[in-house]
DNA sequence: AATATCCGCAACCGCTCCGAC
DNA sequence: CGTCGGAGCGGTTGCGGATAT
């Protein structure tokens, strides 16, 4: 607004009544530093303090919340005697001052949790944070951007698709108008992540899973006559064998994060049938994921987790699974049970964390 | 020891969502 | 049904400490 060239005294006389009224409004707005259209700012940003919070300011917020609880944050600065924007106060509380927050380093279990959830829902940080008691969306986001994303890339895994970058590039080459995508995409600068077209359902790609492998190097990549490439990671008790299941798209995440033993016949059948159910439906991957997200949110309000165990549609034979067989027998309703199953897996992992860290699951941590 | 660079994190920004009216 | 405004969310920025040169 301050850059607008207002009419001169002489020009002002030539304005119509309507334009003069508008000009008057603009002058008032300039005076009060607000806008003509749209919502006025939540506070006078030119007069509020920004930047790091002092212990005194923190104490004022804490005292206010202790006395009044959490309510209208726009009133907090005035009532608490702070020269801050209400939004800033809310952020300070939710991201730092909340008594239930953990301020120590992320545990390997938490990192695995983040990986699995990110693989499933992407950068829905708040959703992921809800499954990590004591962590905020900001915490999770920062940890992902500074640590986990780099770790994955160091391992040659695309942090968006959670697939090896070489195979992402191969997929990209298969569906790209460019004959050799490697000449056009540097995997480290995010080009592939941001601009890679979504594969068609008929495009065959590979499926991988990352959970619990973060700190362990990939041992070997072996060819399998039935399934294509297998990837084996070192693990304390056993090795993870992740198998090519001709799955294309983010849904691979749903399958892989759900199942502990990915190489089991049930697992492979489940993954394959899950894929088929979605591929055969009219809606796309995004719709499927969105429906999953809403289910996930709904389930967070439930007290009792559903029964454990994955859904293996009876119509699907054990591995090796031929796509056609499943596709023909898989009903439209099956995708919802697959989603339920995925949600079950998340809840089961919560239970595991609960048993590992009972103290952070106590009620008091959620009563804020 | 001084400087440059890197890294992690807190905080901000701008947008969307959603309930109240 | 449209508008308003608070709350929430994800992306980005910038500061300060750590590390490298």
């Amino acid at each position: 607004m301050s850059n607008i060239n207002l009419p001169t005294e002489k020009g002002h006389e030539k304005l119509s009544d309507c334009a003069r009224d508008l000009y008057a409004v603009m002058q008032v707005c300039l005076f009060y530093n607000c806008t003509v259209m749209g919502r006025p700012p939540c506070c006078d940003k030119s007069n509020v303090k920004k930047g790091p919070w002092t212990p005194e300011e923190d104490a004022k917020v804490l005292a206010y919340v202790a006395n009044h609880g959490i309510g209208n944050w726009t009133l907090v600065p005035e009532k608490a005697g702070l020269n801050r924007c209400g939004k800033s106060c809310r952020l300070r509380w939710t991201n730092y001052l909340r008594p239930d927050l953990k301020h120590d380093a992320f545990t390997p279990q938490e990192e695995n949790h983040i990986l699995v959830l990110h693989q499933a829902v992407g950068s829905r940080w708040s959703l992921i944070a809800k499954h990590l008691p004591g962590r905020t969306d900001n915490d999770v986001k920062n940890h992902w951007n500074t640590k986990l994303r780099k770790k994955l890339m160091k391992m040659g895994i695309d942090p968006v698709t959670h697939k090896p970058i070489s195979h992402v590039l191969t997929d990209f080459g298969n569906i790209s108008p460019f004959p050799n995508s490697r000449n056009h995409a540097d995997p480290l600068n995010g080009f592939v992540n941001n601009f890679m077209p979504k594969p068609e359902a008929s495009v065959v790609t590979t499926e991988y899973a990352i959970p619990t492998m973060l700190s362990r190097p990939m041992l070997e990549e072996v060819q399998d006559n039935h399934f294509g490439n297998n990837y084996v990671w070192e693990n304390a008790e056993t090795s993870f064998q992740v198998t090519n299941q001709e799955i294309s798209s983010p849904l691979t995440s749903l399958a892989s994060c759900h199942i502990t033993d990915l190489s089991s016949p049930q697992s492979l059948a489940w993954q394959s049938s899950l894929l088929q159910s979605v591929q055969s439906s009219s809606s796309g991957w995004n719709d499927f994921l969105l429906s999953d997200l809403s289910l996930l949110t709904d389930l967070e309000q439930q007290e009792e987790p559903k029964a454990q165990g994955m859904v293996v549609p009876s119509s699907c034979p054990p591995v090796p699974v031929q796509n056609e067989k499943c596709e023909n027998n898989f009903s439209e309703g099956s995708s919802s049970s697959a989603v339920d199953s995925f949600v079950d897996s998340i809840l089961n992992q919560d239970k595991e964390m609960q048993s590992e860290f009972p103290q952070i699951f106590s009620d008091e941590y959620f009563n804020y």
Side-chain angles (χ1 to χ4, degrees):
Chain A
M1 282 291 287
S2 56
N3 293 331
I4 292 176
N5 293 320
L6 295 172
T8 61
E9 195 76 14
K10 206 171 181 180
H12 193 189
E13 294 168 5
K14 294 179 182 175
L15 295 171
S16 66
D17 289 345
C18 179
R20 248 195 311 272
D21 289 345
L22 178 59
Y23 175 43
V25 170
M26 289 166 68
Q27 284 184 308
V28 171
C29 288
L30 269 179
F31 181 80
Y32 287 107
N33 192 28
C34 62
T35 54
V36 178
M37 303 282 285
R39 191 193 311 173
C42 60
C43 56
D44 185 358
K45 292 192 185 297
S46 61
N47 287 331
V48 295
K49 187 185 170 191
K50 290 184 182 179
W53 281 67
T54 64
E56 291 77 20
E57 289 175 314
D58 284 346
K60 285 180 180 177
V61 173
L62 286 168
Y64 177 86
V65 172
N67 289 329
H68 302 90
I70 298 169
N72 189 341
W73 284 105
T74 53
L75 298 175
V76 171
E78 182 188 342
K79 292 192 173 180
L82 285 159
N83 186 27
R84 291 273 186 177
C85 180
K87 190 176 176 178
S88 181
C89 296
R90 182 177 59 81
L91 275 173
R92 183 63 179 172
W93 169 260
T94 54
N95 286 340
Y96 193 81
L97 296 176
R98 259 169 48 194
D100 60 307
L101 293 181
K102 288 195 282 186
H103 295 287
D104 48 351
F106 278 77
T107 65
Q109 289 87 353
E110 286 177 315
E111 289 190 334
N112 284 339
H113 230 62
I114 294 171
L115 268 175
V116 166
L117 290 165
H118 183 273
Q119 200 179 7
V121 303
S123 56
R124 270 74 165 180
W125 304 119
S126 59
L127 191 58
I128 294 172
K130 282 176 187 171
H131 290 268
L132 293 161
R135 305 295 187 187
T136 68
D137 54 348
N138 214 31
D139 288 337
V140 176
K141 180 174 57 180
N142 283 332
H143 191 67
W144 173 266
N145 286 330
T146 57
K147 298 272 180 62
L148 298 182
R149 200 166 60 91
K150 290 174 184 175
K151 252 182 181 176
L152 287 180
M153 291 178 79
K154 236 177 182 177
M155 293 168 65
I157 295 169
D158 178 60
V160 173
T161 62
H162 292 248
K163 297 176 183 178
I165 288 172
S166 60
H167 289 259
V168 172
L169 289 171
T170 303
D171 294 344
F172 181 58
N174 287 342
I175 57 179
S176 164
F178 305 120
N180 183 358
S181 63
R182 285 164 203 264
N183 294 334
H184 301 274
D186 174 4
L188 297 182
N189 70 6
F191 178 89
V192 170
N193 303 341
N194 294 327
F195 298 107
M196 189 183 75
K198 289 176 184 169
E200 299 295 331
S202 59
V203 173
V204 173
T205 59
T206 329
E207 149 144 68
Y208 308 93
I210 320 260
T212 77
M213 304 167 194
L214 241 202
S215 56
R216 303 182 181 93
M218 190 169 76
L219 289 181
E220 55 179 334
E221 177 177 345
V222 295
Q223 290 293 321
D224 183 298
N225 290 336
H226 287 296
F227 307 120
N229 293 340
N230 287 345
Y231 294 86
V232 182
W233 273 268
E234 183 184 358
N235 181 270
E237 291 91 25
T238 178
S239 66
F240 279 83
Q241 187 168 324
V242 188
T243 309
N244 178 336
Q245 275 294 298
E246 299 189 342
I247 293 179
S248 63
S249 86
L251 186 62
T252 57
S253 334
L254 297 184
S256 56
C257 71
H258 164 72
I259 297 160
T260 308
D261 181 8
L262 286 158
S263 57
S264 72
Q266 292 84 356
S267 158
L268 295 170
W270 180 83
Q271 294 172 49
S272 179
S273 56
L274 180 57
L275 166 74
Q276 296 305 323
S277 71
V278 177
Q279 286 187 342
S280 59
S281 69
S282 56
S283 57
W285 298 106
N286 285 346
D287 293 337
F288 189 86
L289 280 172
L290 284 174
S291 67
D292 163 68
L293 279 176
S294 63
L295 272 172
L296 205 58
T297 307
D298 292 346
L299 261 141
E300 280 164 4
Q301 295 163 3
Q302 293 184 10
E303 287 185 10
E304 292 294 326
K306 294 184 178 179
Q308 291 191 21
M310 57 191 173
V311 176
V312 181
S314 57
S315 58
C316 287
V319 285
V321 179
Q322 297 299 318
N323 288 348
E324 299 78 29
K325 290 180 185 175
C326 273
E327 199 165 48
N328 294 338
N329 296 330
F330 217 82
S331 67
E332 280 186 31
S334 301
S335 63
S336 65
S337 58
V339 171
D340 285 345
S341 189
F342 164 67
V343 173
D344 287 345
S345 75
I346 299 294
L347 291 169
N348 289 337
Q349 289 185 34
D350 269 355
K351 285 179 75 176
E352 284 174 24
M353 282 197 72
Q354 217 164 339
S355 61
E356 283 186 60
F357 309 102
Q359 70 279 11
I360 58 177
F361 279 85
S362 61
D363 285 344
E364 63 184 85
Y365 274 89
F366 298 100
N367 290 336
Y368 52 80

